[in-house]
Amino acid sequence: MSGGFFRGTSADQDTRFSNKQAKLLKTQKFAPELEHLVDMTKVKMDVMKPWIAARATELIGFEDEVLINFIYGLLEEKVADGKKIQIQLTGFMEKNTVKFMKELWSLLLSAQQNASGVPQQFLDAKEAEIQQKKAEESRIAQEIQKKREKDGRDLELEKQKMMDGDVGNSRLDIDHVDPEKEKELHSKHSSRTKSRESCRSRSVSLSPSETATIIKTLNFT
């Protein structure tokens, strides 16, 4: 009879377990958050599972897939009782159980209150991450704009230097005329000037008789 009774009996049906659980409920220390039950149908577990795995691993010091999957299983109930879950986790997490359950239940209570099923802490963290990313993108955009403006100013300055250099070279060409050429040009100019003056002098110095003779010659021709 006794063997048939215990075959397939759940922990809730086993009076020895229920008595031990009742005793632990009276003696264990529970965080105030665990006074509230959680409606797990309102919680988005896909978001919670990464946190559970990471936090449990951090607290116990190594990754324990058995423990992590056990926690997932405990949260599959439609309505989760944090105190009962803490009792079942104590053998695995020992002194870290109370801290883990306090943090977990705070997140679950927040998640069931949000229409998204996500803890407000996660939403705030995501919002801060988005804002930080935008700020970084804005900073990069400003740096790029400043660099473009600087490159533009440098280009204009280079163009201005080149223009100033061309003007300076033209002035140098004017200022540095070959002295020999200048002397030759001056000499030619002086010769032409003297020739013209000589012609004018001869035409002016003709006597009246010479002028009459030239006229007569022209008439005979």
Side-chain angles (χ1 to χ4, degrees):
M1 293 290 293
S2 59
F5 175 78
F6 288 108
R7 184 179 296 116
T9 302
S10 66
D12 292 335
Q13 293 172 329
D14 189 342
T15 55
R16 293 177 301 175
F17 178 81
S18 60
N19 290 337
K20 184 179 180 180
Q21 188 178 61
K23 188 180 294 184
L24 289 172
L25 286 171
K26 293 180 180 180
T27 57
Q28 275 205 16
K29 179 182 178 181
F30 300 103
E33 288 82 358
L34 273 63
E35 296 294 333
H36 308 281
L37 301 177
V38 174
D39 183 353
M40 295 303 299
T41 63
K42 296 181 179 180
V43 177
K44 194 169 184 179
M45 279 301 294
D46 289 343
V47 176
M48 291 301 308
K49 285 183 177 180
W51 181 91
I52 292 172
R55 189 57 175 145
T57 300
E58 182 181 0
L59 289 172
I60 65 177
F62 61 93
E63 185 177 1
D64 188 340
E65 292 185 4
V66 174
L67 171 60
I68 293 170
N69 288 323
F70 182 53
I71 298 172
Y72 294 163
L74 294 174
L75 295 173
E76 288 179 354
E77 298 287 339
K78 182 178 180 180
V79 178
D81 187 332
K83 291 182 179 180
K84 292 181 179 180
I85 292 176
Q86 178 172 311
I87 290 172
Q88 296 181 70
L89 290 180
T90 300
F92 293 92
M93 304 188 71
E94 298 178 347
K95 63 180 181 179
N96 294 309
T97 309
V98 175
K99 184 176 184 179
F100 175 78
M101 287 302 299
K102 176 181 174 63
E103 295 176 4
L104 173 62
W105 230 247
S106 294
L107 294 173
L108 293 177
L109 290 172
S110 175
Q112 78 170 353
Q113 292 174 357
N114 284 334
S116 63
V118 178
Q120 189 62 41
Q121 180 179 333
F122 289 5
L123 297 175
D124 292 342
K126 190 64 177 178
E127 179 65 21
E129 180 183 342
I130 293 173
Q131 293 300 327
Q132 183 177 2
K133 186 177 180 180
K134 288 182 178 180
E136 182 65 14
E137 290 175 350
S138 177
R139 185 189 66 80
I140 293 173
Q142 290 178 1
E143 290 295 329
I144 293 174
Q145 182 62 27
K146 286 181 181 179
K147 188 176 185 306
R148 286 176 177 173
E149 292 175 355
K150 182 179 181 300
D151 291 344
R153 290 194 297 269
D154 291 344
L155 182 60
E156 289 297 323
L157 184 60
E158 188 66 25
K159 288 181 179 179
Q160 187 63 42
K161 286 181 178 180
M162 292 176 66
M163 293 175 65
D164 292 344
D166 291 341
V167 173
N169 290 335
S170 299
R171 290 174 179 173
L172 287 174
D173 291 341
I174 294 173
D175 295 339
H176 291 79
V177 177
D178 189 343
E180 293 297 327
K181 290 184 178 180
E182 184 178 8
K183 183 177 180 181
E184 182 181 349
L185 291 172
H186 180 71
S187 176
K188 290 181 179 180
H189 178 72
S190 298
S191 297
R192 288 195 295 269
T193 303
K194 290 178 180 179
S195 178
R196 288 195 296 269
E197 289 177 351
S198 176
C199 292
R200 284 198 298 268
S201 298
R202 286 199 298 270
S203 61
V204 170
S205 60
L206 290 175
S207 64
S209 60
E210 290 175 334
T211 302
T213 301
I214 291 172
I215 294 173
K216 289 179 180 180
T217 303
L218 291 175
N219 290 335
F220 280 114
T221 303

